Amino acid sequence: MKVSVVSRSGREIVKGGVDLNDSATVADLQEAIHKRTKKFYPSRQRLTLPVQLGSKERPVVLSYKKSLKDYTDGNSDNLTVVFKDLGPQVSYRTLFFWEYLGPLVLYPIFYYFPVYEYFGYKGERVIHPVQTYAMYYWCFHYFKRIMETFFVHRFSHATSPLSNVFRNCAYYWTFGCYIAYYVNHPLFTPVSDLQMKIGFGFGILCQVSNFYCHILLRNLRRPEGDGGYQIPRGFLFNIVTCANYTTEIYQWLGFNIATQTVAGYVFVVVAAGIMTNWALTKHRRLKKLFDGKEGRPKYPRRWIILPPFL
């Protein structure tokens, strides 16, 4: 089989094309491209079928697990694929590890070390119980996220663009310092003991619920990470499409009820906005896939992310 590899403009990426046997898979093609180009390793490649000029149809993305014959449209001797360079890639575990490590390490620095002397505060610092509990709560959350990254989550996509590491780290590390600065500040005014207990108690309940939601999502995928889209069921997923995001938002709401800082509430609003956008996208996709037609199950009526509002 002769495979021509071209760019969207029609320029040849691999001179003379690639010769493969008839039983070759898309993964074999990616490896062959890598051997010929060196720079473009498989996870950096996006291969699609050509579309006619002016067509508004989305190109068909080649699955690395499928045989190339599945895309030949009856002509098993020749195939043309369109190549796109996705840029440098990193694994999702690497991405999540670094974005979560920053807040886990940076927050305790504001609690344990005299950093406020460098901001002009020279008085004696008194640490309130709520500040101690907040530090434990914060570190438990990000330690839990790192452990989930390595031992719970199964990823449908193997890699993410390297640029996402810098973007995500900037987001998490900046907010980590922003919140830690105000919660651990010597002039911090604690809330009442009852409000602190309600906030942290509610937050811990949501943290445990969030972990269980991740376990349920994990079980929807096979160990290798695939399995296609399925309707999540059980626990809060019976009433909310994205219960994992719901519990994530509410656990930070609990943290802010207990600590009561503007920085913390800004973080909740921004994070809730981001996760709401993700939830809307996932909800629409599941409703489209499970439309009740041609033997497909119909997606049940559910809240999207934040009952009773959305």
Side-chain angles (χ1 to χ4, degrees), residues 6 72 77 116 184 188 196-197 215-216 259 278 289 299:
V6 300
T72 55
D77 296 328
Y116 295 95
N184 295 290
F188 173 82
M196 178 189 70
K197 290 178 180 177
I215 293 293
L216 293 176
T259 56
W278 293 344
L289 289 172
Y299 194 74

Side-chain angles (χ1 to χ4, degrees), residues 28-251:
D28 294 329
L29 173 59
Q30 290 178 316
E31 287 292 346
I33 294 172
H34 181 212
K35 287 180 180 178
R36 295 282 296 275
T37 61
K38 302 301 181 185
K39 175 182 178 182
F40 302 125
Y41 44 86
S43 62
R44 187 167 175 165
Q45 302 172 26
R46 181 177 184 264
L47 302 178
T48 61
L49 295 180
V51 294
Q52 292 184 350
L53 190 64
S55 174
K56 294 183 179 180
E57 293 184 5
R58 299 186 67 177
V60 176
V61 180
L62 276 60
S63 171
Y64 75 96
K65 292 184 177 180
K66 286 191 175 183
S67 169
L68 288 172
K69 278 188 175 181
D70 295 337
Y71 300 103
T72 55
D73 195 24
N75 182 7
S76 60
D77 296 328
N78 294 282
L79 177 65
T80 298
V81 299
V82 178
F83 171 92
K84 180 180 179 181
D85 176 19
L86 297 177
Q89 301 284 300
V90 296
S91 72
Y92 269 96
R93 285 189 170 85
T94 299
L95 169 66
F96 289 163
F97 172 76
W98 285 108
E99 69 183 37
Y100 298 146
L101 181 66
L104 179 62
V105 172
L106 292 171
Y107 190 100
I109 291 175
F110 287 84
Y111 178 84
Y112 285 110
F113 296 97
V115 295
Y116 295 95
E117 293 180 4
Y118 300 101
F119 293 101
Y121 184 84
K122 302 298 183 182
E124 183 180 356
R125 181 185 171 207
V126 177
I127 298 178
H128 302 284
V130 65
Q131 293 172 308
T132 301
Y133 297 142
M135 195 269 297
Y136 291 150
Y137 183 101
W138 180 280
C139 291
F140 172 76
H141 170 78
Y142 282 103
F143 178 76
K144 163 183 164 290
R145 295 300 293 267
I146 290 175
M147 292 299 101
E148 287 175 338
T149 296
F150 288 103
F151 302 109
V152 177
H153 295 319
R154 291 172 177 169
F155 302 99
S156 58
H157 299 287
T159 61
S160 172
L162 177 63
S163 59
N164 286 352
V165 175
F166 302 103
R167 183 196 65 186
N168 291 17
C169 286
Y171 170 79
Y172 280 100
W173 295 26
T174 301
F175 264 119
C177 292
Y178 181 41
I179 295 170
Y181 175 83
Y182 285 102
V183 174
N184 295 290
H185 199 282
L187 300 179
F188 173 82
T189 302
V191 299
S192 68
D193 189 60
L194 177 60
Q195 183 174 334
M196 178 189 70
K197 290 178 180 177
I198 291 173
F200 284 136
F202 177 68
I204 291 170
L205 177 63
C206 290
Q207 290 228 42
V208 174
S209 299
N210 180 257
F211 173 74
Y212 187 55
C213 287
H214 289 159
I215 293 293
L216 293 176
L217 291 175
R218 175 185 185 272
N219 293 336
L220 293 179
R221 297 188 184 278
R222 290 190 284 268
E224 58 271 20
D226 59 2
Y229 286 102
Q230 299 182 48
I231 299 176
R233 302 183 188 277
F235 191 45
L236 297 176
F237 286 109
N238 290 333
I239 56 174
V240 186
T241 292
C242 293
N244 51 320
Y245 297 152
T246 303
T247 50
E248 178 80 12
I249 293 170
Y250 282 150
Q251 71 183 4

